[in-house]
């Protein structure tokens, strides 16, 4: 840091050193590459989903989830007490995040379309579908809707990848595809 002004006060009239010009150019071009990569990866990367988002009160979202559970429950997941729900193909399916669980377990059919609604009842959670590496931030008061078509059968884990409190590491959910 200079304590006194430069001797030539109009420093911006001095020529830019060649190496500085090279680095400014490299940084600018790299910025452009990364900008266009974001757009390219959204279309071709199959990781950044095109989602819709709507405002919703947590209590209202919980009502919708419970209505689906009451209608389409087919059992419970192990001894966890979390219901397993099998909604009809093509329908709206709901999963909520709350400290510290994903609720309920969804059973979907391979090759069918679903509109998956996600929201949180309390704090921000991260919906991370494993092992396909799909990530969405789930906020209270916002309902994220994505159209999903399962392409493989099996059990897919849903982990929370946004630290949400003391039980964060136990926040494991499941989507089962048959
Ligand atoms: Cu969480």
């Amino acid at each position: 840091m200079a304590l006194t002004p430069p001797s030539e006060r109009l420093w911006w009239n001095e020529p830019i050193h060649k190496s500085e010009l090279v680095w400014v150019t490299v940084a600018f071009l790299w910025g452009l590459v990364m900008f266009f990569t974001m757009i390219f990866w959204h279309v071709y990367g199959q990781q950044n989903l095109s989602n819709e988002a709507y405002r919703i009160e947590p209590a209202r979202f919980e009502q919708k989830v419970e209505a689906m559970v009451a209608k389409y429950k087919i059992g419970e997941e192990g001894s966890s007490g979390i219901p397993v729900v099998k909604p009809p193909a093509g329908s709206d399916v709901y999963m909520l995040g709350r400290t510290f669980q994903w609720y309920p377990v969804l059973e979907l059919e391979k090759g069918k379309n679903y509109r998956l609604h996600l929201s949180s009842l309390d704090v921000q959670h991260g919906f991370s579908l494993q092992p396909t590496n799909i990530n969405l931030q789930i906020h209270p008061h916002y309902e994220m809707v994505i159209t999903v078509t399962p392409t493989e059968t099996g059990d897919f884990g849903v982990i929370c990848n946004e630290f949400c409190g003391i039980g964060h590491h136990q926040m494991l959910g499941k989507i089962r595809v048959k």
Side-chain angles (χ1 to χ4, degrees):
M1 189 178 75
L3 293 176
T4 51
S7 52
E8 296 296 328
R9 299 200 64 147
L10 297 177
W11 52 270
W12 53 84
N13 284 342
E14 291 178 30
I16 301 172
H17 193 275
K18 202 177 152 198
S19 65
E20 191 174 2
L21 200 61
V22 168
W23 281 114
V24 167
T25 308
V26 167
F28 178 72
L29 291 178
W30 186 241
L32 284 183
V33 167
M34 290 196 292
F35 176 78
F36 286 107
T37 300
M38 283 196 303
I39 298 164
F40 171 83
W41 200 247
H42 178 80
V43 179
Y44 297 101
Q46 298 186 330
Q47 250 174 5
N48 306 74
L49 305 175
S50 303
N51 60 279
E52 302 158 44
Y54 305 97
R55 286 196 72 107
I56 190 164
E57 286 309 305
R60 177 79 191 106
F61 189 76
E62 190 178 18
Q63 279 175 6
K64 287 178 161 191
V65 177
E66 290 300 349
M68 176 194 71
V69 170
K71 218 169 167 185
Y72 302 117
K73 181 176 170 178
I74 57 166
E76 284 185 0
E77 182 68 9
S79 57
S80 65
I82 294 183
V84 179
V85 179
K86 190 182 179 191
S91 67
D92 287 80
V93 300
Y94 298 84
M95 184 179 274
L96 67 82
R98 62 184 159 204
T99 49
F100 299 98
Q101 61 175 206
W102 293 106
Y103 176 97
V105 171
L106 294 173
E107 190 176 305
L108 308 179
E109 269 182 71
K110 183 185 166 182
K112 300 285 166 61
N113 288 323
Y114 298 87
R115 275 171 62 78
L116 174 61
H117 299 242
L118 298 159
S119 190
S120 163
L121 296 195
D122 36 48
V123 295
Q124 176 177 317
H125 297 288
F127 175 92
S128 177
L129 188 67
Q130 301 295 329
T132 47
N133 197 18
I134 285 171
N135 288 287
L136 291 159
Q137 286 194 336
I138 306 303
H139 299 267
H141 299 276
Y142 284 95
E143 183 178 28
M144 302 284 273
V145 187
I146 50 171
T147 302
V148 292
T149 311
T151 55
E152 284 171 53
T153 58
D155 280 12
F156 295 84
V158 178
I159 62 170
C160 180
N161 62 3
E162 204 66 71
F163 183 75
C164 58
I166 197 81
H168 166 67
H169 61 288
Q170 293 171 325
M171 199 167 159
L172 303 169
K174 198 177 274 182
I175 292 179
R176 183 167 290 141
V177 180
K178 286 199 168 168

